[in-house]
Amino acid sequence: MFAGYFFLLSVLTGSAFAAFIPYRSVASATFDRRTQDFNAQDLINSCPGGPGSDKFEKADRCTLVNVVQNPDVRKWAVLGDPQLNCGNATGSISEMLGGSHTVTQTTTVDASFGIELEGVTLGGGVSSSDEDSTTLSRSITFDVPPGRQAVYVAGTLFKSVSGNVQVNYPDRQEGHFEWTTGAKVTQLTPVPDDVEFDVHETDCGTDPRDLSGYNS
């Protein structure tokens, strides 16, 4: 076992605290809290891809740890432009529906922590066999009834996991090589071979791109 400590940074009412847990006796450890002159955003900013922090040097890597598997989610997107048969139309018209759309892995953080993750690269959390992005492309011919509009849509399955960000440094920062933020981070990663397609048909005068009924 290591003789060092594991440090968990939590954000409470706008202040940052560190909880010190000895590796040798985790079960009987007591928490020793003391105020730090940095916060979780400083740690996140030092991650690869981040803007950098004036409190820390650049981290070697940032990894999602304490990972929890969430239920899968299917997210729908529009492929191409809607085709309309509105105005004084009395019969159906045959139109080509479809196009392409790229879906990518998304990473979000619990809004209550007020932390930005833009540009930050995180490892861990999802299997290396999963793709970070995939492009959907398909077209069909569809008869649009009078007074209606139609658009082709695709629903991609996403694997969802949540965890905390562990930040590893090449040199000691505030006395330690590793810090873990208390902010809850969620990653959604697309499954390229699990995509459903559908024609979304609505009345003229409504928003043909409104997929709230699919993504509810």
Side-chain angles (χ1 to χ4, degrees):
M1 301 293 288
F2 294 100
Y5 290 86
F6 171 79
F7 298 86
L8 174 63
L9 179 71
S10 60
V11 181
L12 301 174
T13 63
S15 299
F17 299 87
F20 303 87
I21 308 176
Y23 277 124
R24 290 187 181 277
S25 181
V26 174
S28 62
T30 57
F31 292 87
D32 178 19
R33 293 178 177 175
R34 62 188 178 88
T35 302
Q36 304 291 339
D37 64 349
F38 58 88
N39 56 35
Q41 187 69 68
D42 291 317
L43 292 168
I44 295 296
N45 287 350
S46 68
C47 289
S53 169
D54 59 1
K55 302 291 180 64
F56 297 98
E57 67 178 73
K58 203 68 174 177
D60 279 338
R61 65 184 182 277
C62 288
T63 309
L64 198 65
V65 297
N66 306 323
V67 174
V68 175
Q69 298 287 336
N70 303 318
D72 295 345
V73 295
R74 190 172 299 279
K75 297 176 71 67
W76 290 83
V78 169
L79 299 182
D81 296 323
Q83 299 299 321
L84 285 63
N85 189 8
C86 301
N88 298 319
T90 58
S92 297
I93 57 173
S94 181
E95 295 285 359
M96 184 71 71
L97 303 180
S100 62
H101 176 76
T102 299
V103 294
T104 61
Q105 182 187 77
T106 60
T107 304
T108 57
V109 65
D110 188 335
S112 64
F113 284 90
I115 296 174
E116 296 292 335
L117 288 172
E118 185 174 357
V120 170
T121 301
L122 296 180
V126 293
S127 168
S128 60
S129 63
D130 291 331
E131 298 291 338
D132 286 345
S133 66
T134 185
T135 298
L136 313 173
S137 182
R138 183 177 291 190
S139 298
I140 64 167
T141 300
F142 181 77
D143 291 334
V144 184
R148 303 284 282 175
Q149 53 196 4
V151 65
Y152 209 33
V153 295
T156 306
L157 189 72
F158 283 76
K159 295 291 184 182
S160 175
V161 297
S162 297
N164 308 113
V165 179
Q166 178 179 287
V167 188
N168 292 87
Y169 296 98
D171 303 302
R172 291 183 186 274
Q173 305 295 303
E174 295 289 326
H176 312 289
F177 290 98
E178 176 185 298
W179 290 89
T180 301
T181 71
K184 179 183 176 182
V185 173
T186 299
Q187 276 187 342
L188 294 178
T189 303
V191 181
D193 58 355
D194 196 332
V195 182
E196 297 178 0
F197 296 90
D198 193 20
V199 174
H200 179 46
E201 187 182 328
T202 53
D203 290 330
C204 290
T206 62
D207 182 1
R209 298 177 179 272
D210 180 7
L211 302 185
S212 56
Y214 287 85
N215 291 317
S216 59

